[in-house]
Every structure is written in structure tokens, then in C-alpha cells.
Amino acid sequence: MSFFTRFREQVVFSGLVFLVTFAPLPLGSNRPLPAAIIALTVGVLLLLQTGMSIWGANETARHSSPLAPAFIAFVLVIIWILIQMAPAPWLALGHPIWTEASSVLGEPLTPRITIDPAASGAALMNLLAYAGVFWLAFSATRDAKFAARARQWLVTIGGFYAAYGILNFVLGVGWLPFIDMPNHPHSAVGTFVNRNNFATFTGLCLLCALSLLLERVQHILSTSRTPRQKLALAIEMLLSDARWNTAATLLLLVALFLSASRAGIASSLAALFALTAFQTGSGSSGKRSRNAMVLALLLLTGFGFLAGGGKLVERIEKDGLLISGETLRHEIYDTTLQVIRTAPLVGTGFGTYATAIETYREDDALFSVWQKAHNSYLESATELGIPAAFTLHGAIFWLALLCFRGVRLRRSRRAFPALGVAATILVGLHALVDFSLQIPAIAILYAFIMGFAVAQSAVPEKRKGPQKAAPSTDIPPNLK
């Protein structure tokens, strides 16, 4: 790797770490100004990467060919969003609201597919920023050392945000510098708008923490020692060498349960067990290792539940375990499906859900605001149309598929692709009943994780088929 390549990756990596670190602070960046700053920062980093590539060999292109299907799908979606925003070449394509507005105002208006071009432009800016974060992370973490540093940093900042959320909850205050935050007495929300967003954020950081600890423990289990010696070494490692990572893991787990988000906790636990299964490998030794890890995860989950599960139990007793009893949410789903049926192919315009849903709501709901569909799949189908929404989700699925392929075929460093699969399971499941992935800070975090996960999913060319699984021994130097 040339000097300019290493320098470029260091600069880009530092910028990404800065972005991921501070994005959660202003309510998850779920406001126009923070979102615009994120987009500007990503744009600057992309310009720096492109400019410095002129003086150094661009080695990223030849490693990015597996991304081609996802890239093509994403470009098609971007083109479609631009078509939605452009004047409709045929009047039939334009949304009927433009004709109605023209008759009311008494002046001609140019019809478009989107009902709010400004909202579509803002949403497009965010989407491009998320894709930029993924590409920058992919480019900067092809070296496993950078990927290890990225994961370690996410554990660190996750631990700090978890501690902040726990402290705010215990003290019964909602505080952020220069921001008037409402108090949430029944759940921990950290720096986010609500508990569901905080649960997704802590869940993603918790996956990174567990991935790192699993890697350390696997190294111990792979040694030729007695079970008692291995247990003693693992406990010593967790309480000594990796004490800060262990502390961050416990903080994240307690914060997750204190969020009292039913779907967030369930999705996170499903992803944690999936990560354990994928990372520990197969074969007789892998199965023994996996069984031990699953047992340890169960004990760890029990600790988190005892320490922070009280509010979750209270919420389940009040509202039930599932969302089946939530009339308003089902009303939102039914109304959203009604909107989808009116424009199933072309949609109402990217980022226009809050506006589009208003004309379909019942009169008794006029004093509430439905900004989100509480189902990212339904919302994207509403805005983009079913074909474009399917294409966008297909691009993300392809990235997860690359990670799954890395889990199957890699002999070492399978922790990173396993992390990518588990992170996708978490956000994919939670997106069925909420909108956490539509919060900029969480979308950036997920894109960052997928960037280094996909980068480390590449299989060495000499390996043509599935390799016999072996425990990972590639422990980052700073964690030894």
C-alpha cells in the first residue's frame, strides 16, 4: 500500500470517526441543520478522498466489483427520485394534488410525481450522505487494522452514550447542551428523540462490543488447555485486559433494557444470538465453542434484564408483549396501505410521507401528527412506489449477502462479516414496526458498520470454496 493511500485512508477514517461520534448528540441529528452538516461533512470527505487519489494509486476500484449489483440498484433509485422531482413529462404521471392546487390558486402549476419537491430534495440529500458514509468506510477499512479500530471506537462511544442515557434516566432529567429535552421518566432515551431510536443505537454498538469479546474468548478457547483453565483465562481476560470493553458491554446491555423498547430489545437480542452463531463457526470445535458462547450470552442477557428490565416489565404489563393492542399504530398501517394503493408504481415522492398521509386520515386524528409510518418498508413503498422501494431494499440486502458469503467462506476475521449480517438483522427486524433507520445518526452508524464489514468480507483469491471453520485469532494489537 502506497504512502498516499495510507494517508488518504487515515484522513478519511478520522473524519468518519468524528462524524459517527458526534452525530447522535443533537437528537440523533433528526433536525434539518444537523442533517445538512452531516451531508456537507460527507461531501468534503468524498472530495478529499477523490483529490488525494490523484496522487496515489486508487486501489479501491479493483476491490469493489462485488458491490456492482448494489451500486446499480442504488443509482436506479437515485434516478427515479430525480424523475419524481422533475416536471412530469406526461400529465398523467403528475400527482393529482398539483391539478387541484392549480384550480384553487387560479394559476397553472407544473405537475410532478412528488407532492413536495423540497422534502424530496432533503430526503435525497440524506440518502446520498448515508451512501457516502458506506463508501468512505469501505474504502478506508480494507486494511483489517482500520476495521479493528473502527469496531473498537464504536464500542467506546457506545459505552459513553449508554452511560449518559443511564445517568439521565436515574437522575430523572433530560439534558443536552443548548437543547431543551423533555424528560422521559419511563424509559432511557439518551440523546435521541425516543426510546426506540436509543434501543437501536445501543443495540448496534452492543453488537460491536460482543463481536470484540467473542473474538478474544475464541482465541482462548482455541488453545490446548483444560476447560477449567480456559474458563479461568477467559474470566481473567474479561476482568483485566479487556475490562473497559467488558464495562462498555455491560453498560450497553443495561441501557438497552432501560429503553423499554419491546421491538428494539427483541431485535437486538435476535441479532446478538445470530452474531454468536455466525462468528463462532461450524465443525465439532466450533459447535462446542458456540454452545459455550450462547450460554454465556444467556447469562449476560439475564444480568441486563435484572439490572434494567424493570421498566420493560411494567410496559409489557400495561401494553402487552406485542403491538397487536396498539390501535393507533394499526390505524397508521391501514391508512398507509390505502395511500400505497393510490400510487403503487410511482409513489408520492421520496420524503413526503408526512404530507401524503394527511389527506387520508380520519377526522378524529386531526390533532396528532403522523410523521412516520412506523414501518420503514411501508413508508418507502408509499414514497418511492413498490418497484423502487424493492430496489432500494434489495441493494441493502445485497450488502448483507456479501457479508454472509464472507462468514461462510472466510477462515479468519469472520467476526467482521458476521457483524454486518447481525447488524442488518437488527435494523431489518426493527424496521417492521418502527423507523429507527430513518434517524440520521443511526443510519450513519449502520452504514459505517456495513462499510467495514463488507470491506472485510472479501475472500482471498486462492480460496475457491468453503473453508473449514477455525476460531479467529486475529486480535487487534491494541487489544492484546
Side-chain angles (χ1 to χ4, degrees), residues 50-67:
T50 304
M52 286 185 289
S53 296
I54 299 175
W55 287 277
N58 188 0
E59 301 173 11
T60 303
R62 64 188 179 91
H63 294 281
S64 59
S65 57
L67 300 179

Side-chain angles (χ1 to χ4, degrees), residues 60-136:
T60 303
R62 64 188 179 91
H63 294 281
S64 59
S65 57
L67 300 179
F71 175 77
I72 294 172
F74 182 76
V75 169
L76 290 175
V77 172
I78 297 302
I79 293 174
W80 174 245
I81 295 173
L82 293 174
I83 292 175
Q84 286 184 318
M85 296 170 60
W90 296 281
L91 189 61
L93 279 179
H95 195 279
I97 196 172
W98 292 102
T99 303
E100 296 175 9
S102 180
S103 62
V104 170
L105 295 175
E107 59 181 73
L109 296 176
T110 304
R112 305 171 194 269
I113 294 175
T114 178
I115 61 176
D116 189 345
S120 295
L124 176 60
M125 176 190 71
N126 291 339
L127 183 62
L128 290 173
Y130 307 151
V133 169
F134 168 80
W135 175 253
L136 290 168

Side-chain angles (χ1 to χ4, degrees), residues 12-279:
V12 171
F13 181 80
S14 300
L16 282 174
V17 166
F18 177 84
L19 192 64
V20 173
T21 300
F22 292 101
L25 269 181
L27 301 176
S29 295
N30 190 34
R31 294 294 184 270
L33 180 59
I37 293 174
I38 287 174
L40 177 62
T41 305
V42 173
V44 170
L45 290 175
L46 286 169
L47 286 175
L48 285 174
Q49 184 201 45
T50 304
M52 286 185 289
S53 296
I54 299 175
W55 287 277
N58 188 0
E59 301 173 11
T60 303
R62 64 188 179 91
H63 294 281
S64 59
S65 57
L67 300 179
F71 175 77
I72 294 172
F74 182 76
V75 169
L76 290 175
V77 172
I78 297 302
I79 293 174
W80 174 245
I81 295 173
L82 293 174
I83 292 175
Q84 286 184 318
M85 296 170 60
W90 296 281
L91 189 61
L93 279 179
H95 195 279
I97 196 172
W98 292 102
T99 303
E100 296 175 9
S102 180
S103 62
V104 170
L105 295 175
E107 59 181 73
L109 296 176
T110 304
R112 305 171 194 269
I113 294 175
T114 178
I115 61 176
D116 189 345
S120 295
L124 176 60
M125 176 190 71
N126 291 339
L127 183 62
L128 290 173
Y130 307 151
V133 169
F134 168 80
W135 175 253
L136 290 168
F138 175 83
S139 304
T141 58
R142 289 183 295 106
D143 187 335
K145 293 180 181 179
F146 279 103
R149 287 172 57 188
R151 181 180 57 179
Q152 176 64 73
W153 187 254
L154 293 183
V155 175
T156 302
I157 64 173
F160 275 110
Y161 279 111
Y164 174 85
I166 294 172
L167 183 62
N168 268 6
F169 175 76
V170 172
L171 296 179
V173 298
W175 179 86
L176 273 176
F178 312 111
I179 296 177
D180 184 19
M181 276 191 68
N183 183 26
H184 294 264
H186 302 296
S187 58
V189 299
T191 61
F192 290 85
V193 176
N194 62 46
R195 57 187 162 212
N196 299 310
N197 305 155
F198 185 57
T200 304
F201 180 83
T202 54
L204 288 172
C205 293
L206 182 58
L207 286 175
C208 295
L210 180 63
S211 170
L212 198 152
L213 292 182
L214 283 175
E215 197 172 56
R216 295 293 300 271
V217 173
Q218 276 186 279
H219 177 64
I220 294 174
L221 295 180
S222 66
T223 60
S224 56
R225 299 176 184 270
T226 64
R228 181 173 296 182
Q229 290 174 326
K230 291 179 180 179
L231 178 61
L233 286 173
I235 294 175
E236 180 183 2
M237 179 272 297
L238 293 174
L239 300 180
S240 179
D241 295 342
R243 59 186 180 277
W244 296 115
N245 292 323
T246 303
T249 303
L250 296 178
L251 285 171
L252 285 163
L253 190 61
V254 172
L256 175 65
F257 276 100
L258 282 177
S259 72
S261 170
R262 295 166 298 176
I265 293 171
S267 302
S268 297
L269 292 179
L272 288 170
F273 283 101
L275 174 67
T276 303
F278 288 132
Q279 186 169 331

Side-chain angles (χ1 to χ4, degrees), residues 440-458:
I442 297 175
I444 285 173
L445 175 61
Y446 174 66
F448 186 57
I449 291 174
M450 291 303 292
F452 67 74
V454 174
Q456 292 299 312
S457 297

Side-chain angles (χ1 to χ4, degrees), residues 358-374:
E358 287 298 316
T359 57
Y360 292 85
R361 293 172 53 183
E362 299 293 336
D363 293 338
D364 59 358
L366 288 177
F367 295 101
S368 62
V369 179
W370 293 358
Q371 293 184 336
K372 305 291 183 183
H374 290 268

